[in-house]
Amino acid sequence: MKTIQLYFEIHQIIHLKRYRFFDIGTDHYYYDDYENERSISEIAEKSYMPALNTFQDMIKEHGKYFKFAVSISGVGMEQLEMHAPQVIEKLQELNETGCVEFLAEPYSHGLSSLANPECFAEDVQKQVRKMKEYFGKEPKVLRNSSLIYSDDIAMQAQAMGFKGMLTEGAKHVLGWKSPHYVYSSAVAPDVKLLLRDVDLSDDISLRFGNTEWEGYPLFADTYIDRIASTPEDQQIINIFMELSALGMAQPLSSNILEFMKALPVCAKEKDIIFSTPSEVFASTKSVDYISVPDTLSWVDEERDCSCWLGNNMQREAFNKLYSVADRVRIMKDPAISQDWDYLQASNNFRFMTTKPSNVGLDRGIYITPFDAFTNYMNILGDFMRRVKSKYQAADDDELNDLFTMIRNQSEEISMKDKEIDRLKGMLNKMDPNFDAKPAKKTPAKKPAAKKAPAKKAEKKEEE
């Protein structure tokens, strides 16, 4: 039986303010509060609330038949907490239906998976704690920023205990294979993969309201017929997009929500069901392994990372930022940590791109890529001064030696743990009565979902 995986991303850009060279060392607040409040309020009103209300109506009409998955970046959650708490409350209501799965992703919606494994793990774990705090569930499936994925990232996901990941069904990776199956990572076999169907996803998120598109107008019955007509053995249909596509990229006047509301009605007629990623991973075996030595994503025609790291400006900013990653990780300074999350966000590097794109790019306050680079580097210069001021007693070489020692010790402990597990397994085989497993702890009672605060957070004080 064919099953549709609907997944929606929620992330909000943190807009930086104009920050000049002479502000370095004197102004430690980097954000355009007015634009941040205006933009999240607009998206909540025109997209998030209408779309989530529609999903709630669909669940009421169809019960457990209609399901979907969603991930929310930590920085996006912070913006919702301050400016649109009604969105979080609606998500909590949907969570109580049991028809929504919340996925893990980097808190910052950044590129840490390409720079620093320890930073990436901490970034993800921070978002996982946020999801559990609000929704009482710990995500078991990982979705990296912009579906960024590679063999190395799969190994990191396996080390963190995730049972699966979502990524792009890029043609240069799949070749003759179809995205309509469950696959496993070639280097981390415990990590199963769901691959986005590019055409079916983009028909909704990018082309739905385009009157010049040959498929316009797109109707739900036609769309479901296309899914039903795929070969019988191709049963996993993955449709992934940003939630803001429903209402922003495709305005409500295009009848996009009426189209979404008709999907389960038409799917029932074709015996097609809806499932969450965890349900698919639990019930479906992978048919093959996928090897992705080079990083891929869901952005632009190339489906790679060139939109963030394709030119010298982007790479210089990226390398400069992550040169202080280990320092920030061990500092545990709240103000530094918040700025670190916001400065990691991938859109900061996207604004610096010089490559053409088939999707329009709004650079906000920036006129050119160089303008975006200059503003970001001024802010980064002040941020790095603040970080390094915490370690005046130690030079760079001493700190680097310390970080290397900590990393080596962590790897050594991990290797010893694996050896202990191997020896325990041997003992179990030699003596069936031997029980080397530690007693299970009584699971703690699930906390009630936290209500989103209505009060606007106060502006962070300058250091």
Side-chain angles (χ1 to χ4, degrees), residues 386-455:
R386 291 163 56 204
V387 172
K388 291 184 177 181
S389 70
K390 303 289 183 179
Y391 293 99
Q392 293 177 349
D395 60 27
D396 287 348
D397 290 338
E398 290 175 328
L399 283 171
N400 290 333
D401 289 343
L402 174 61
F403 295 140
T404 300
M405 182 181 68
I406 292 172
R407 192 175 295 113
N408 290 340
Q409 287 177 343
S410 177
E411 292 174 356
E412 185 177 349
I413 291 171
S414 178
M415 291 176 63
K416 288 182 177 178
D417 286 342
K418 291 179 181 178
E419 180 66 12
I420 291 171
D421 289 340
R422 186 183 68 82
L423 292 174
K424 286 180 178 179
M426 291 176 61
L427 285 171
N428 274 318
K429 290 180 180 179
M430 295 169 60
D431 181 3
N433 295 322
F434 176 80
D435 185 8
K437 294 181 180 180
K440 290 185 178 180
K441 296 182 180 179
T442 302
K445 185 179 180 182
K446 284 186 177 180
K450 180 178 176 181
K451 288 294 182 183
K455 183 178 178 181

Side-chain angles (χ1 to χ4, degrees), residues 37-304:
E37 181 174 2
R38 186 206 64 78
S39 60
I40 188 65
S41 298
E42 179 184 23
I43 293 176
E45 178 184 353
K46 294 183 178 180
S47 172
Y48 294 165
M49 288 305 295
L52 295 176
N53 282 326
T54 297
F55 293 156
Q56 190 174 46
D57 292 340
M58 293 163 70
I59 292 172
K60 289 178 180 178
E61 180 180 354
H62 301 285
K64 297 289 185 180
Y65 171 77
F66 177 71
K67 300 174 181 178
F68 65 96
V70 64
S71 74
I72 317 171
S73 68
V75 296
M77 282 289 286
E78 290 184 14
Q79 291 297 294
L80 292 173
E81 287 171 341
M82 287 190 287
H83 307 303
Q86 69 274 18
V87 176
I88 299 179
E89 292 169 1
K90 182 59 63 176
L91 285 166
Q92 289 174 329
E93 292 176 16
L94 287 165
N95 178 53
E96 292 171 0
T97 67
C99 297
V100 183
E101 179 177 3
F102 291 90
L103 308 185
E105 73 162 74
Y107 190 96
S108 66
H109 198 270
L111 308 175
S112 55
S113 60
L114 306 177
N116 187 303
E118 292 84 1
C119 179
F120 176 56
E122 197 168 278
D123 206 6
V124 171
Q125 289 160 3
K126 184 175 180 180
Q127 188 265 0
V128 166
R129 291 192 296 270
K130 192 85 167 178
M131 294 299 99
K132 190 172 183 179
E133 176 186 2
Y134 275 93
F135 306 109
K137 301 174 183 177
E138 189 170 298
K140 300 299 182 184
V141 176
L142 175 64
R143 177 264 186 197
N144 198 7
S145 309
S146 300
L147 297 189
I148 291 173
Y149 176 83
S150 69
D151 289 341
D152 289 340
I153 294 171
M155 293 179 67
Q156 295 178 57
Q158 181 172 272
M160 286 188 278
F162 290 105
K163 60 186 177 184
M165 287 189 69
L166 274 55
T167 189
E168 180 76 342
K171 292 180 180 178
H172 70 275
V173 171
L174 283 172
W176 57 268
K177 297 177 182 177
S178 167
H180 302 153
Y181 296 96
V182 175
Y183 294 93
S184 289
S185 164
V187 298
D190 291 341
V191 177
K192 292 183 176 181
L193 302 174
L194 291 178
L195 308 180
R196 187 176 86 114
D197 185 304
V198 177
D199 290 335
L200 287 173
S201 300
D202 288 352
D203 281 354
I204 298 176
S205 62
L206 298 182
R207 294 184 281 269
F208 182 82
N210 182 1
T211 56
E212 298 180 359
W213 172 44
E214 61 181 10
Y216 180 87
L218 180 61
F219 296 106
D221 55 351
T222 307
Y223 188 81
I224 293 297
D225 284 344
R226 286 171 55 194
I227 293 174
S229 66
T230 57
E232 183 63 29
D233 60 332
Q234 297 184 19
Q235 298 186 349
I236 312 299
I237 311 299
N238 303 309
I239 302 170
F240 307 159
M241 68 191 78
E242 297 177 2
L243 183 60
S244 61
L246 310 182
M248 297 301 290
Q250 307 303 326
L252 299 181
S253 59
S254 69
N255 293 324
I256 183 67
L257 294 184
E258 286 72 16
F259 170 85
M260 295 300 296
K261 205 166 185 177
L263 285 180
V265 177
C266 298
K268 276 184 180 180
E269 295 175 355
K270 299 292 184 178
D271 293 325
I272 298 172
I273 64 173
F274 290 81
S275 302
T276 63
S278 287
E279 289 176 339
V280 172
F281 289 144
S283 63
T284 310
K285 293 182 179 180
S286 59
V287 298
D288 200 358
Y289 295 98
I290 292 288
S291 178
V292 186
D294 299 319
T295 310
L296 65 89
S297 76
W298 71 357
V299 178
D300 291 344
E301 290 295 327
E302 296 84 357
R303 310 294 178 189
D304 59 13

Side-chain angles (χ1 to χ4, degrees), residues 339-380:
D339 290 336
W340 173 249
D341 290 336
Y342 295 170
L343 293 178
Q344 281 190 88
S346 61
N347 58 276
N348 293 312
F349 304 96
R350 176 76 160 153
F351 291 150
M352 304 175 198
T353 187
T354 52
K355 60 177 287 193
S357 173
N358 61 338
V359 180
L361 174 61
D362 181 3
R363 298 184 196 271
I365 63 172
Y366 307 122
I367 301 172
T368 65
F370 183 74
D371 186 25
F373 170 74
T374 302
N375 200 68
Y376 183 81
M377 292 302 285
N378 286 340
I379 290 173
L380 188 56

Side-chain angles (χ1 to χ4, degrees), residues 15-45:
H15 296 273
L16 302 177
K17 69 180 182 182
R18 279 289 178 186
Y19 193 93
R20 308 189 185 284
F21 176 79
F22 297 104
D23 295 325
I24 298 175
T26 61
D27 182 2
H28 305 314
Y29 192 77
Y30 312 134
Y31 314 108
D32 186 339
D33 289 334
Y34 172 80
E35 182 57 26
N36 286 325
E37 181 174 2
R38 186 206 64 78
S39 60
I40 188 65
S41 298
E42 179 184 23
I43 293 176
E45 178 184 353

Side-chain angles (χ1 to χ4, degrees), residues 301-313:
E301 290 295 327
E302 296 84 357
R303 310 294 178 189
D304 59 13
C305 293
S306 58
C307 65
W308 304 291
L309 301 174
N311 62 44
N312 290 333
M313 293 186 296

